[in-house]
Amino acid sequence: MNKISHLYNFEDIYNQYWEKVYLQCASKLNDTEIAKDLTQDIFRSLWERHEELVITISIEHYLAKATKLKVLEYIRNEAVKRRHNQLLADNSEPITSVTEEELNYKELYERLKFLIGFLPTQCRNVFTLSKIDGLSNKKISSELNISERAVEYHITKAYSFLRKKMKDFKLFLSFFTIFATLVK
């Protein structure tokens, strides 16, 4: 295992692989502008972490995996935005008819979204793919190239974290219901 800064010159990596990363993004998303943005994000992250990043596989394989995860993250985030916008559109009644329970639900939902952002990256990816995108543990395991046991671990870890952080809300138990609603 070697740090990337000792093995490679960043400029050489960028010049050799940026097109492959870009084409991989573009082929999955069918949007050149988003593919450019994601490619830039991948290389920016590589540069920002180059001093401490330890790569145990080839740089090409590393970038392919990073690209796959970045594309999955983008797709997941877009799906969450669409669901959120749909929920807002479905619940866009005049404020005078909104009950306290609905306000609590919206507050709880926003709090959950906020807290999910604090989960470690892999944990957040697994939890979101499971509870928001509705994928099975087996599918998540295959998508992220981790064991089903690791998927279960990350989901349990996420629930534990959210339970601890949500204890001050009256409607804590309904947080499980929110995910069931989102999966539909």
Side-chain angles (χ1 to χ4, degrees):
M1 291 192 288
N2 290 301
K3 290 187 179 182
I4 192 168
S5 58
H6 296 122
L7 289 178
Y8 304 101
N9 176 324
F10 180 78
E11 188 175 347
D12 291 341
I13 293 170
Y14 180 81
N15 290 333
Q16 185 174 353
Y17 295 107
W18 78 265
E19 189 173 14
K20 288 179 184 179
V21 170
Y22 167 75
L23 291 173
Q24 187 179 350
C25 289
S27 73
K28 299 291 184 199
L29 300 172
N30 295 320
D31 188 318
T32 58
E33 290 305 310
I34 294 171
K36 287 177 187 176
D37 290 344
L38 294 182
T39 300
Q40 182 179 2
D41 290 347
I42 291 164
F43 281 101
R44 183 180 57 240
S45 174
L46 184 65
W47 172 252
E48 289 171 350
R49 299 177 310 132
H50 79 278
E51 295 275 333
E52 70 271 354
L53 186 62
V54 176
I55 296 181
T56 59
I57 55 179
S58 73
I59 190 69
E60 185 172 12
H61 188 108
Y62 174 84
L63 288 170
K65 283 188 90 117
T67 302
K68 179 181 177 183
L69 289 174
K70 187 58 116 173
V71 168
L72 283 173
E73 178 183 40
Y74 174 81
I75 292 169
R76 183 192 68 237
N77 288 343
E78 288 302 304
V80 169
K81 285 179 193 175
R82 280 192 303 276
R83 285 189 185 110
H84 177 69
N85 289 338
Q86 186 61 47
L87 277 174
L88 289 176
D90 291 347
N91 293 321
S92 62
E93 298 175 22
I95 193 72
T96 55
S97 67
V98 175
T99 66
E100 183 179 338
E101 184 177 321
E102 288 170 323
L103 288 173
N104 287 339
Y105 176 86
K106 287 179 183 178
E107 181 183 358
L108 181 63
Y109 177 76
E110 290 301 317
R111 171 82 177 201
L112 278 171
K113 281 187 6 183
F114 175 76
L115 290 174
I116 288 170
F118 286 100
L119 291 169
T121 304
Q122 185 78 322
C123 188
R124 182 177 57 242
N125 288 341
V126 169
F127 188 77
T128 305
L129 288 171
S130 174
K131 302 306 173 192
I132 295 179
D133 295 343
L135 297 181
S136 69
N137 288 2
K138 187 173 188 168
K139 180 73 174 164
I140 296 167
S141 171
S142 171
E143 284 285 321
L144 299 179
N145 199 22
I146 60 176
S147 70
E148 284 186 60
R149 183 75 177 126
V151 171
E152 293 168 6
Y153 167 79
H154 287 298
I155 292 170
T156 301
K157 183 177 176 180
Y159 273 137
S160 176
F161 171 81
L162 292 171
R163 246 186 240 112
K164 188 186 319 177
K165 297 296 181 182
M166 296 294 291
K167 68 182 175 188
D168 57 333
F169 277 77
K170 297 178 205 171
L171 301 175
F172 166 72
L173 293 177
S174 67
F175 111 112
F176 292 99
T177 308
I178 290 173
F179 289 110
T181 304
L182 291 174
V183 172
K184 291 181 182 175

